[in-house]
Amino acid sequence: MNRRLSTSRATFATGNDSLTIDEKPKQSVPLTRRHFYNRKPQPLTTASSTKIHLGDAKRYGILFLVLLILLFWTALSRSSVSTQVSLRDQPAYDTLLSKRQCAATLCNPQGRCATWHPHDERYHHDSEELKQEGLYRNIATIQVDLGCELLLKAADDTWMAITQGQTDCIEKGCQDVVEVDLRGDLYILASQLKQQIADPANMDQEIIVAYSGQQASQSPDLTLVSQFSVNRLGVFTQVLDAWAGPVSVAIYLTEPNDVNYLRSFFAVPANVILYSRVNIVFVKPDYSNPDHLKYPINHLRNLAITASTTSHVFVMDADFTPPGDMYAHSQTKLLALAQEQVAMVIPCYAILESHKDDPLPQDISELRELVKDGVAYITDPGSGHGPTLAMSMALNPNQTLYYEVCYESQWEPYYIVPRETTPLYDVRFRNQGGDKQSHALQLNALGFKFLVSHHTFILHKDHSKMVWPGGGFSQSQKAKSSWSYFEGFMREMEELYGSNVRWPRGCSASAIGWQAQLRNPLGMAIGA
């Protein structure tokens, strides 16, 4: 609802005429009439009395206007909080991901131990190294984490494989070891996950296991973050081909049989190699709880963000693809801008399904032609992505790196933000609806500025409706949510950050929303 204060001049009724404040009355007629039975009306004797009344009206009008402005400003600033406040009922992600990489720990009978990781320069440990650690032909216990496999060479040249768990070498007969090989790849992890899920004791247990990819990062650097279920593993390879930088994802095993697909996918060596540079968090839910079909989208995002190690993150849905130069452009141009309380928004577009086999545009000029031909368009041009001004601003030829926009209610942009100073997503949102909107609202409540990149974008190719693993996911999406954006979340945000959380707090005077009035500022605040 957009309302504007009237700018018309105040008028007073005087018979058939209208009297404005700036006009002198043509006749000495009282502006108000009072009727008494035993008293005659007192006519005005001079024009000065009219001036007095008009002067009082003007003063009262100015006083009322000042009072109205003060009340409006007070309503906006009341109980405002600019520092980050923790949302309720959020898990401790550092605890959930306390172990980011599998390892093997070998101890001798005297309690001396050595811990090795599969990504160390020397995953093979020969007899000389074992002697230095006091482990040569002298091993008492072995602890192997999920995702690792330990190969032991005995003195008689035979090999033994030790998988996850605690092993007593005195009972197992593995104390007489002369060489050790430690391995850990995605096929090994998927195979061990299959064994874990097949164990009835783990049916009602959530299992979260992290795989640390072999990726080099710089400072500052940017990680692309995403989440998906196993049926998107093949689709996401397009993102890995396009993005040269660090990647961190969370993969959800919706149903027990999903691990079979996971294992068969990573049985292909090319897939293992492609994903080997990715930090991955695998999540096996409590299958005995029907809520496991409610896709924990923000929980997965938070896990993937926590598993990343770079200064900045770019959270993107798995069905989008960046152009090939986005990582290099972001690292050299955008990271310096996306500092504390600044979000660098990346415009998003979609390609018609009839053109899904066409090559994706690699720069703004190619994208502009596709939009002009009706092949590319904006997804949710209303409140979802309309505030980005992706059509009116982002596609215009411009030499500047960015333009600023004002926050609007129910906006759900994709953005680059500093990892350590930006809050995580509200884990209580599951499936779709409110998951990204809630995060953007919290950034606005903290006073974030929103800058939009002029030179890069992400693209989504239309596709037929996907069938989710287990078949029950789509039905679960339609079920009534126990946590909603406009009820529970909005009330909590107002309690934590003040009643004006939807007002664009970090928006500067140079932002497009204020400067050109492309979108109504009052509507931004009230969600119109």
Side-chain angles (χ1 to χ4, degrees):
M1 176 178 67
N2 298 329
R3 296 180 179 175
R4 296 183 178 176
L5 294 175
S6 173
T7 57
S8 61
R9 305 169 76 178
T11 61
F12 297 87
T14 58
N16 296 326
D17 298 319
S18 179
L19 176 65
T20 66
I21 290 178
D22 295 337
E23 294 177 347
K24 295 182 178 180
K26 297 179 180 179
Q27 299 178 0
S28 298
V29 179
L31 299 181
T32 59
R33 296 179 179 179
R34 298 179 181 175
H35 300 279
F36 297 92
Y37 288 107
N38 55 0
R39 185 178 179 182
K40 293 182 180 181
Q42 298 295 323
L44 294 175
T45 57
T46 63
S48 61
S49 61
T50 301
K51 292 181 180 180
I52 293 174
H53 285 296
L54 292 176
D56 290 341
K58 184 181 292 187
R59 284 194 294 272
Y60 287 138
I62 293 174
L63 182 61
F64 176 76
L65 182 59
V66 171
L67 181 61
L68 184 64
I69 292 174
L70 288 174
L71 289 174
F72 183 64
W73 181 256
T74 301
L76 288 179
S77 58
R78 179 169 58 89
S79 303
S80 295
V81 177
S82 58
T83 56
Q84 185 174 333
V85 182
S86 299
L87 297 176
R88 303 182 186 117
D89 303 323
Q90 306 297 308
Y93 283 97
D94 286 336
T95 302
L96 290 178
L97 287 182
S98 58
K99 189 176 288 292
R100 312 293 179 89
Q101 184 180 9
C102 71
T105 300
L106 292 75
C107 300
N108 63 21
Q110 292 74 39
R112 183 180 176 182
C113 301
T115 299
W116 294 312
H117 298 87
H119 294 165
D120 291 341
E121 290 185 12
R122 290 175 55 91
Y123 66 87
H124 175 79
H125 305 275
D126 58 18
S127 58
E128 289 300 319
E129 188 171 359
L130 290 176
K131 289 177 181 178
Q132 293 176 6
E133 299 292 343
L135 297 172
Y136 181 75
R137 305 186 70 173
N138 188 34
I139 297 178
T141 60
I142 297 175
Q143 173 67 45
V144 179
D145 294 334
L146 183 65
C148 277
E149 182 180 63
L150 190 66
L151 299 179
L152 307 176
K153 182 180 179 181
D156 59 0
D157 289 338
T158 60
W159 287 87
M160 176 186 297
I162 305 294
T163 57
Q164 80 276 6
Q166 180 84 21
T167 301
D168 186 333
C169 281
I170 297 177
E171 295 181 0
K172 189 75 173 180
C174 55
Q175 67 268 41
D176 194 20
V177 173
V178 296
E179 291 183 32
V180 171
D181 273 350
L182 178 61
R183 300 176 182 179
D185 60 33
L186 289 166
Y187 179 73
I188 292 173
L189 178 55
S191 299
Q192 294 180 1
L193 266 178
K194 183 177 180 179
Q195 296 175 359
Q196 292 278 314
I197 293 174
D199 186 348
N202 293 325
M203 180 61 66
D204 59 352
Q205 300 294 318
E206 182 184 51
I207 297 177
I208 298 177
V209 57
Y211 170 84
S212 181
Q214 303 175 28
Q215 53 186 356
S217 63
Q218 308 175 40
S219 181
D221 208 346
L222 175 64
T223 296
L224 186 149
V225 173
S226 194
Q227 41 66 41
F228 46 87
S229 55
V230 295
N231 61 346
R232 300 288 183 95
L233 279 165
V235 174
F236 196 73
T237 58
Q238 301 175 26
V239 177
L240 297 179
D241 289 336
W243 185 268
V247 180
S248 183
V249 301
I251 299 177
Y252 191 61
L253 304 177
T254 313
E255 293 284 9
N257 289 334
D258 287 356
V259 72
N260 295 328
Y261 181 89
L262 183 72
R263 186 171 182 270
S264 63
F265 181 85
F266 286 121
V268 179
N271 292 335
V272 172
I273 295 172
L274 185 60
Y275 274 88
S276 64
R277 68 183 181 92
V278 181
N279 288 347
I280 306 177
V281 181
F282 296 95
V283 180
K284 175 262 171 196
D286 173 5
Y287 290 133
S288 66
N289 189 337
D291 283 348
H292 78 271
L293 292 176
K294 296 178 180 178
Y295 186 71
I297 186 166
N298 278 352
H299 180 47
L300 298 175
R301 284 178 176 137
N302 292 343
L303 287 168
I305 292 172
T306 305
S308 66
T309 59
T310 57
S311 61
H312 292 72
V313 292
F314 173 54
V315 179
M316 184 189 77
D317 289 338
D319 49 3
F320 281 90
T321 303
D325 65 346
M326 180 180 168
Y327 170 68
H329 176 76
S330 299
Q331 190 181 39
T332 57
K333 303 292 185 181
L334 302 183
L335 293 191
L337 300 169
Q339 297 304 315
E340 186 175 358
Q341 290 195 315
V342 174
M344 178 59 66
V345 178
I346 306 300
C348 59
Y349 302 84
I351 302 292
L352 294 176
E353 186 176 3
S354 56
H355 292 263
K356 62 182 178 64
D357 295 327
D358 296 350
L360 291 174
Q362 293 301 306
D363 55 45
I364 286 290
S365 60
E366 292 181 6
L367 175 62
R368 191 183 301 117
E369 291 301 314
L370 293 182
V371 171
K372 182 179 178 180
D373 295 339
V375 175
Y377 63 95
I378 296 293
T379 60
D380 191 2
S383 59
H385 294 291
T388 306
L389 304 178
M391 286 294 194
S392 59
M393 290 297 300
L395 292 178
N396 289 338
N398 199 303
Q399 297 302 315
T400 61
L401 283 174
Y402 66 90
Y403 57 93
E404 183 182 356
V405 297
C406 295
Y407 170 81
E408 295 190 37
S409 181
Q410 301 180 62
W411 189 26
E412 46 182 13
Y414 299 96
Y415 34 59
I416 297 170
V417 290
R419 180 176 61 88
E420 293 186 355
T421 59
T422 303
L424 295 174
Y425 289 72
D426 187 351
V427 72
R428 292 167 292 186
F429 285 96
R430 302 172 73 98
N431 294 332
Q432 294 174 337
D435 50 293
K436 294 193 297 292
Q437 297 173 15
S438 57
H439 193 257
L441 177 63
Q442 188 174 9
L443 296 195
N444 176 68
L446 289 168
F448 269 65
K449 283 187 177 182
F450 294 93
L451 311 181
V452 183
S453 171
H454 246 310
H455 297 280
T456 194
F457 51 88
I458 55 176
L459 284 162
H460 162 71
K461 287 186 176 182
D462 286 349
H463 52 71
S464 302
K465 190 173 182 180
M466 300 188 73
V467 178
W468 291 90
F473 183 70
S474 59
Q475 181 180 357
S476 178
Q477 279 190 305
K478 299 175 183 178
K480 185 178 180 180
S481 174
S482 60
W483 184 247
S484 67
Y485 176 80
F486 286 107
E487 295 180 7
F489 181 77
M490 187 63 67
R491 286 198 299 268
E492 182 173 321
M493 286 294 293
E494 290 174 348
E495 292 174 6
L496 296 176
Y497 291 98
S499 59
N500 61 327
V501 290
R502 286 183 285 183
W503 186 263
R505 294 184 177 183
C507 187
S508 69
S510 61
I512 298 298
W514 298 108
Q515 183 183 29
Q517 295 292 299
L518 296 180
R519 297 179 71 85
N520 184 275
L522 185 58
M524 300 175 194
I526 63 177

